[in-house]
Amino acid sequence: MSLTDTVGKCAAIATIGTFFAPVLICRDIIKNKSTKNVDPTPFVGGMAMSILMIKNGLLMNDPNIIPVNIFGFILNLIYFLVFYFFTADSKPLFSMLTKATLFTGVLWGYSTIEDEKLIEYRFGVILTVLMLTLIGAPLFSLNDIIKNKDASMLPFPMIASGTFVGFLWLIYGLLIDNIFIKVQNIVSVILCLIQLGLIFKYPKPESKKLD
């Protein structure tokens, strides 16, 4: 097995591992019987991105991408159902799901009618923007985090695991010289490191009391 194949397999396995990070969040939801202070965006966005990444894997004919994202979709669906079961108001949740479903359907449809010579590049650009938006979404609340000096809303398990996996996919992207994989993971690692910095600078209130 070549170095590229080895790194690709390791990145795929590590990605599967990150899919289990939200288990800790769901555990707290079940324990508290509440979704208070939990953002469902990662679950809904995770399902949408998994579907689009499957399509991207088909376009690239990359065997490391497709099975990983099928598994990711199934797990994110489970997390979504846990959130749905314990949320006090499901209307915003289903509104988000509807928009994500329509958007995903439009992009999948677009990928079937675009010129075969252009689709891989253009679809890659679209996925890069979407992925980085999803990863950086928690930073939209940056002002509140700094103002309240509380970064407890940031999902540490997902961010920490995302940083590690980002490094692996970055190495894989460098080995296969794929510009989209390289750009996606350079920026994603930077975004994750920023969020980790905020988590350590502004820990949960409980952690502050113990210090």
Side-chain angles (χ1 to χ4, degrees):
M1 183 181 293
S2 67
L3 176 61
T4 299
D5 289 337
T6 300
V7 174
K9 295 295 183 184
C10 289
I13 293 172
T15 299
I16 291 176
T18 65
F19 290 151
F20 288 99
V23 167
L24 300 176
I25 298 174
C26 289
R27 180 197 63 183
D28 291 338
I29 290 176
I30 295 173
K31 179 181 178 180
N32 299 324
K33 296 182 179 180
S34 171
T35 58
K36 184 179 179 181
N37 294 328
V38 178
D39 184 3
T41 302
F43 308 147
V44 177
M47 288 191 291
M49 282 303 303
S50 292
I51 293 174
L52 294 175
M53 286 300 292
I54 290 172
K55 181 60 179 179
N56 192 47
L58 292 172
L59 293 173
M60 294 175 59
N61 193 28
D62 190 324
N64 292 313
I65 294 177
I66 299 173
V68 169
N69 285 284
I70 291 175
F71 188 68
F73 174 81
I74 294 173
L75 284 181
N76 276 293
L77 175 59
I78 294 174
Y79 303 145
F80 172 85
L81 292 175
V82 170
F83 188 97
Y84 166 70
F85 185 79
F86 288 98
T87 188
D89 184 6
S90 62
K91 288 184 178 180
L93 179 64
F94 277 100
S95 175
M96 181 185 298
L97 179 63
T98 300
K99 293 176 182 177
T101 301
L102 291 174
F103 187 67
T104 303
V106 169
L107 288 181
W108 189 287
Y110 158 72
S111 69
T112 63
I113 62 175
E114 179 59 275
D115 189 325
E116 292 183 1
K117 297 179 180 179
L118 301 174
I119 182 58
E120 184 176 337
Y121 174 81
R122 292 182 176 178
F123 201 70
V125 171
I126 294 172
L127 282 188
T128 298
V129 173
L130 291 177
M131 181 181 296
L132 297 181
T133 299
L134 182 62
I135 293 173
L139 293 178
F140 293 153
S141 301
L142 182 60
N143 287 337
D144 291 335
I145 292 173
I146 295 176
K147 179 180 179 181
N148 300 322
K149 296 183 178 181
D150 179 9
S152 59
M153 66 166 293
L154 298 178
F156 175 75
M158 298 177 67
I159 296 171
S161 59
T163 305
F164 175 69
V165 171
F167 274 117
L168 288 179
W169 280 116
L170 174 57
I171 295 173
Y172 180 69
L174 291 170
L175 290 172
I176 66 173
D177 194 25
N178 184 288
I179 185 63
F180 295 115
I181 294 179
K182 287 188 287 187
V183 172
Q184 286 170 2
N185 290 285
I186 288 174
V187 180
S188 68
V189 167
I190 292 174
L191 291 174
C192 285
L193 289 175
I194 291 173
Q195 293 176 69
L196 286 176
L198 289 170
I199 289 173
F200 286 109
K201 184 175 179 60
Y202 303 118
K204 293 182 180 181
E206 292 85 359
S207 300
K208 294 178 183 177
K209 292 179 182 179
L210 294 176
D211 291 339

